Structure formats: structure tokens, C-alpha cells
Amino acid sequence: MSDPMDFLLLTKGPLFDLAITVFALGMAARLLEILINGRRPNYSEARGGQWLPGLRTVLTRSVPDPGTFKRAPFNVVVGWLWHLGFIVTLLFFIPHIALIKSLLGISWPGLPNPVVDLVTAVTLVALVATLVHRRTHPVKRRISTLEDYLVWTLVFLVVLSGYLAYNRIINPYPLALGLHILSAEVFLIVLPFTKLTHIFTAFIARWYNGASFGRRGVES
Amino acid sequence: MRVFEKNPLEKGLAERLREHGVSRRGFLKFCAATASMMALPPAMIPAIAAALERARRPSVIWLSFQECTGCTESLTRSHAPTVEDLILDLISLDYHHTLQAAAGEAAEAAREQAMRDNHGNYLLIVDGSLPGPDANPGYSTIAGVSNYAMLMEAVEGAAAVIAVGTCAAFGGLPAAAPNPTGAVSVMDLVKDRPVVNVSGCPPVPMVITGVLAHFLTFGRLPELDEYHRPLAFFGQSIHDRCYRRPFYDKGLFAETFDDAGARAGWCLYRLGCKGPSTYNACATMRWNSGTSWPIEAGHPCLGCAEPRFWDAGGFYVPLSVPTGPAQDYLLAAGALGAVVGGVVATSARGRVKAEAAVRQPVTVEELEQKL
């Protein structure tokens, strides 16, 4: 019998195993490659330490400087809004915590569901705003690639399907939940091979920058 | 002097209820409850009363195949004398090999007689799954007749088929992996008659009688969902009607069966409750004459009214947790990925070193000469 429950069990079983395998293999390979290669050897005499400036830069590059905010307030505010919304929903929704606990054995307290629901709704609106901005801003439109749109679509589908499932806007529920899990699986599979890797590499890159500045005695 | 009694089949429901000592007021109360149960407006109550008063008791043939008799237990365990029991009395239950007095050849003869006398009009109720047409028929037979053959013969003259319980509706336990008897559901086999699935392991008694009441009232089967279940009873999830839902929304969960959260009545999601994906009327109708229901007794919903509930990844595992060995795959793939990354990085370093070993330095003078 092929029905929504079969579909849900397929997404929760074999498809999830496949997705998590591709994700773990791809991400571990990429991260190890980056970490082992590190940076080019620098034979000059170090003028300062690396660790602290590196960590400081992880923080400072995550917070926009006043100049950037003045130049592109939309990018800063909306970008922060949906990134934060995505992280809050991913890490603080109770069913997601149960999933993480089953995989990694660690868990933490979640947020009340209505809060996560509101954050998800705001994230969806912010994501739509970023797409409209990308399509209407002359420069952004010109520099946008197919990969940019693919990544946007995947992120949007994951958030949208989660919102629809939680609020039971699609019926039956096993179909709605299955669609959400499936979209998250596509997201996981694509993650190591697109710019979505920045979820992990952004902080490494910032640390490398800061460490390099520190070694050269430049303020980070 | 001989008293000629009215043919029982000619009596209306109201008359039979009066014979059973149910007052007019009690009857109307039942009609109101039926209307509410079937999500009909109060204006429909008189129409239901009028229809039920006129209703003649239909012949019902109840076939039990690969089942545990839990569905019959469920139906009969409603505390007497309830209107549900009377409704059961008031249908002509012509064959039910657990409840009927006759046994053996007499029982089978009663079934065949009922099928002949009411051809085209009887209600066929089935509980239990059955070995499919391609399976070994010997896995389940009655009087030497395979379940498949008996179902197909009985379906011929049935006005409608009601599959009672998850086994009949979706295959249930007998169809759980690896499904040794090749069990299939009634819906898988009956294509040319309306099939209503009253799923549940067992189904809520009032839901079984509610479907019968609907049939008696309107002369047709109720509106169904995508799984052929009556929407009036299966229209909302357990989760949406659960009295523990506020705890779910607040993020308050029982972590074990005897912790402070469990004692305080917090949500059972983390103990594997399948309420969010299960549609049934347990939360509103409850069991044992409205006394309680599994979640009120402190046990998570098993999702027993849904297809494949035995194979859905474990009764005590939260709904959002994958059903396969994902953790093993994560670890193995992560380790393999680390090796791949290490090999790629080392080979890249090796290439850089090899290039450096054979490099030909260019002096500033040489560069300037080329300009």
C-alpha cells in the first residue's frame, strides 16, 4: 500500500540514512581538507599571537560595522533576522532537539512552540524579502548565480514545509511531515557541495583571517 | 390464543428502544449525541430522530479473519445498558462467530441464509486482515473456506463493507514486517463496494456504533477521509484534541514514565507519543463509558488508528526521530569523510612539495629583462 504514511516512513528511514550519510561524508571530508591544509606557511617573524585575534574576528566579522550598516541596512537587518530565525527554529524546536539527541546523544531545553512558530513566520517573510531584494536590486540581480537561487529555494522549502506541517495546513499530516523531512534531507545532501557549507566554514574563515591579522600585528 | 408478534425486521428503532425500556427523552438525547458526534448542526436532531424511528434493522454479517477479537471486545465492553448496546441489539446480527449462539455448520448455514435473504442489502462488517489472493490460503480458514474466498463471496451481496479495526482497515499486526501470512486489508481487495474503515486497535466502540447510526439515519455511509475513515470521527488528530497539548506548547515534557513531569501530567511526546500523526476520536469520546483513554492513563499514543503503526519505528521513540540506524551511518560516514579529507589534503600538500622541489627561481634581474 503506497500512502502518506509509507511516504513518511520512507523519509524517516532509508532516505534519512542516505541524507545523513552524504552530509557526514561530504562535510567531514571538506572540513578535514580545510583544517589539514590550513594556510600557506609564513616564514616571517610573528608580531603577535593568533588565537585571540582569531576568536575576536569571529565575533567582529559576525557583527556589521557601522559603515556597512549605513551602506546596506536591509542586508544587515533582514539577513540577521532570517539567519537567527533559522538557527532558533533548527536548534530550539522540541522535535528537532529530540532528533539531535537521537543522533549525537546531546540535548538542551527547547523554546515554547508558539515562540518557535512566530520566529518561523518571521523567517519566512524575511526570506521572501531577500528574494524580492535580490531580484530588484540591480547589482545583486547581476551577480546572482543559479546556485544562489538553488540555495534560497532549499532554505525556503525547509522552513515553509516545517511551518505548514506544524500548523497542519497540508493534509494529511504524515504527508506534510514527510515533505518537511524530505526537504531537510535534500538540504543536507546539497549542503557540503554548495555555498551552504558556510554554516561551518564561515567561522573557520573568520578565525583564519583574524589569526593572520594577529600574526602580522594588524588590528583585527 | 396465539399472539402474532410483528416481524422483528418490520419494527422501527424507536419501537425496539421502547421495548428495551429507553424513554423518548433518552432516545432524543441519543439523537443529539449522535448529531454532535457526527459534527452535524443541532437542527438535524429531529431529522435523525425521525429517520431512526423509521429505520428497519438491517441485516449485518460480521466476518472475523486474522484478528485477536479485540474489536469485538471493544464493541461489547461498553457498559450495559448503553444506547450503543441497544443499537447492536437492534441490528440483525445474523452472523458473528464469537457472539452468536450457533456454531459449526449451523453458524455457516445462518450466514448463507442471511446472505440469500438480504442479497444486495446487508452490511458486511469485517475485522481482521486476511491472506491475500497470492498468499497460502491455509494460513486462515473458517469451515475449510479461505478468508479470501469467504470475503469475496460475502461482498457480492453487500450494500457496503465496514472494516472494523486496524487489521481489517490497513493490515494491522498481521501485516507487520515481515508479514508472514501475506496479510492484506479489506480495502486492498474490495474495489466495487463502498468500504468504510473504522480503524483503531481496537476502535472506539462509539465510532463503530456511530457509523451504524449514520447508515440507519441517512441510508448511506458517512463522509470519508483519504484512508476511507469517517471524517466525523477521524477528522482531527489526537494531538489537536489532547488535554496535555498546552504542555507540549509550553515545552513541558515527561522524560520517563515515573518522573515528576509524568506525575504532573505533562506532554508524552518524548516518550514516543504518536498523537500528532494519529487521527481518531479517543481524546473526545474516550473509553469505558467515557472514563479515560490511554494518554489520560499516562501512556503515549501508539498511533494504532494509522496504517503501518507496528512498523513505524518503535512505540517509545519520539515521532521526529529517524526510524533507521541513522546514528551509525552518521558516525561511519563522518569517519570515512575524515579519511577522504585527510587523503585529499595530504595529496595536495605532496603536490605543493613536489612542485617546490623542482621550482626554478627567477631573479629580479631576469624579470626586468623580460619586461
Side-chain angles (χ1 to χ4, degrees):
Chain A
M1 186 166 51
S2 182
D3 58 34
M5 188 56 84
D6 280 338
F7 172 61
L8 173 62
L9 293 179
L10 181 72
T11 59
K12 280 179 68 177
L15 288 185
F16 189 84
D17 292 340
L18 173 74
I20 205 75
T21 304
V22 174
F23 164 74
L25 214 159
M27 248 1 269
R30 293 204 70 164
L31 287 179
L32 249 286
E33 188 188 350
I34 291 168
L35 293 175
I36 288 176
N37 274 336
R39 293 157 291 153
R40 280 173 182 278
N42 189 337
Y43 299 108
S44 65
E45 195 181 332
R47 292 179 186 165
Q50 298 188 59
W51 277 101
L52 268 183
L55 291 175
R56 196 184 312 128
T57 307
V58 169
L59 284 179
T60 54
R61 289 286 166 98
S62 302
V63 182
D65 62 281
T68 307
F69 184 73
K70 209 170 174 183
R71 267 198 320 277
F74 178 89
N75 290 4
V76 172
V77 173
V78 178
W80 260 92
L81 209 58
W82 84 255
H83 273 89
L84 256 188
F86 190 88
I87 292 166
V88 165
T89 311
L90 175 68
L91 297 183
F92 294 100
F93 184 49
I94 306 281
H96 294 167
I97 296 172
L99 170 66
I100 292 167
K101 190 181 178 188
S102 80
L103 289 175
L104 305 176
I106 50 171
S107 73
W108 48 84
L111 281 172
N113 288 329
V115 174
V116 178
D117 191 34
L118 176 70
V119 168
T120 312
V122 171
T123 305
L124 279 174
V125 174
L127 276 169
V128 171
T130 58
L131 182 68
V132 172
H133 187 65
R134 188 181 281 279
R135 295 297 301 159
T136 51
H137 191 280
V139 177
K140 273 194 170 181
R141 190 173 171 169
R142 192 167 283 266
I143 62 170
S144 294
T145 63
L146 198 62
E147 187 186 337
D148 290 321
Y149 290 111
L150 173 75
V151 164
W152 182 92
T153 307
L154 287 177
V155 173
F156 186 74
L157 282 181
V158 171
V159 183
L160 178 71
S161 59
Y163 184 80
L164 294 177
Y166 174 76
N167 290 289
R168 290 168 190 274
I169 296 168
I170 292 180
N171 279 314
Y173 181 74
L175 175 67
L177 185 59
L179 285 174
H180 175 55
I181 295 173
L182 182 67
S183 60
E185 285 161 357
V186 176
F187 182 89
L188 278 177
I189 288 171
V190 169
L191 199 156
F193 312 107
T194 57
K195 59 172 58 178
L196 282 171
T197 40
H198 80 271
I199 294 173
F200 299 96
T201 55
F203 300 102
I204 300 174
R206 281 168 197 171
W207 188 87
Y208 277 165
N209 266 337
S212 168
F213 291 151
R215 193 172 199 291
R216 284 182 282 159
V218 181
E219 195 183 331
S220 55
Chain B
M1 188 179 79
R2 190 175 172 189
V3 177
F4 287 95
E5 274 203 355
K6 205 173 180 181
N7 180 351
L9 286 172
E10 295 300 310
K11 289 180 182 174
L13 178 66
E15 198 176 340
R16 300 194 141 267
L17 286 172
R18 270 194 298 280
E19 282 175 16
H20 281 85
V22 176
S23 67
R24 173 84 187 153
R25 184 183 174 81
F27 175 63
L28 287 176
K29 206 172 150 190
F30 167 73
C31 293
T34 305
S36 151
M37 199 165 71
M38 293 189 288
L40 296 171
M44 286 301 290
I45 296 169
I48 293 171
L52 285 179
E53 275 176 334
R54 282 195 309 274
R56 297 289 176 265
R57 65 176 197 165
S59 170
V60 171
I61 294 174
W62 183 305
L63 299 178
S64 298
F65 297 138
Q66 297 188 128
E67 45 81 45
C68 67
T69 315
C71 300
T72 298
E73 291 283 352
S74 173
L75 187 66
T76 56
R77 288 294 164 92
S78 47
H79 289 252
T82 61
V83 177
E84 299 98 279
D85 282 342
L86 295 175
I87 287 277
L88 183 61
D89 262 353
L90 297 161
I91 57 176
S92 177
L93 190 57
D94 292 328
Y95 179 82
H96 187 307
H97 62 211
T98 309
L99 298 179
Q100 71 191 133
E105 285 176 7
E108 297 311 305
R111 176 174 61 81
E112 281 161 17
Q113 176 80 34
M115 281 163 55
R116 265 197 310 277
D117 292 351
N118 303 287
H119 192 85
N121 298 315
Y122 58 83
L123 269 179
L124 182 64
I125 300 184
V126 181
D127 70 329
S129 64
L130 57 160
D134 301 327
N136 182 340
Y139 284 126
S140 182
T141 61
I142 297 167
V145 179
S146 75
N147 290 170
Y148 176 71
M150 188 176 280
L151 174 71
M152 287 309 168
E153 187 195 3
V155 160
E156 276 277 313
V161 184
I162 301 177
V164 168
T166 300
C167 294
F170 306 127
L173 169 61
N179 191 357
T181 62
V184 295
S185 69
V186 172
M187 192 169 56
D188 290 335
L189 300 173
V190 178
K191 303 289 181 195
D192 58 347
R193 291 285 184 284
V195 178
V196 179
N197 286 328
V198 182
S199 63
C201 189
V204 182
M206 277 281 278
V207 176
I208 307 174
T209 51
V211 172
L212 293 175
H214 190 285
F215 186 75
L216 286 168
T217 305
F218 300 107
R220 60 178 168 79
L221 295 166
E223 197 185 341
L224 307 177
D225 71 1
E226 61 279 356
Y227 289 132
H228 291 223
R229 299 179 298 195
L231 264 173
F233 308 106
F234 293 90
Q236 283 178 319
S237 72
I238 298 286
H239 185 63
D240 283 343
R241 283 290 175 183
C242 183
Y243 72 104
R244 294 187 192 232
R245 175 66 186 267
F247 294 115
Y248 174 86
D249 286 337
K250 283 181 191 161
L252 297 173
F253 295 89
E255 301 289 342
T256 65
F257 281 101
D258 59 351
D259 66 3
R263 285 195 290 274
W266 290 357
C267 177
L268 304 170
Y269 183 89
R270 283 187 169 158
L271 294 174
C273 185
K274 304 295 186 292
S277 60
T278 305
Y279 287 72
N280 203 348
C282 311
T284 44
M285 292 186 170
R286 313 208 288 182
W287 296 78
N288 299 319
S289 300
T291 308
S292 183
W293 59 298
I295 287 176
E296 199 170 337
H299 195 280
C301 169
L302 297 180
C304 75
E306 297 299 315
R308 306 275 305 275
F309 87 102
W310 282 92
D311 297 329
F315 289 161
Y316 302 105
V317 179
L319 188 62
S320 60
V321 168
T323 56
Q327 194 179 21
D328 300 341
Y329 283 101
L330 178 71
L331 283 174
L336 183 63
V339 172
V340 170
V343 169
V344 170
T346 313
S347 112
R349 286 193 152 203
R351 273 204 312 278
V352 170
K353 272 191 181 169
E355 297 275 329
V358 294
R359 77 185 193 276
Q360 293 178 324
V362 181
T363 62
V364 176
E365 287 76 27
E366 284 171 335
L367 277 176
E368 280 177 347
Q369 278 173 9
K370 284 185 181 175
L371 285 174

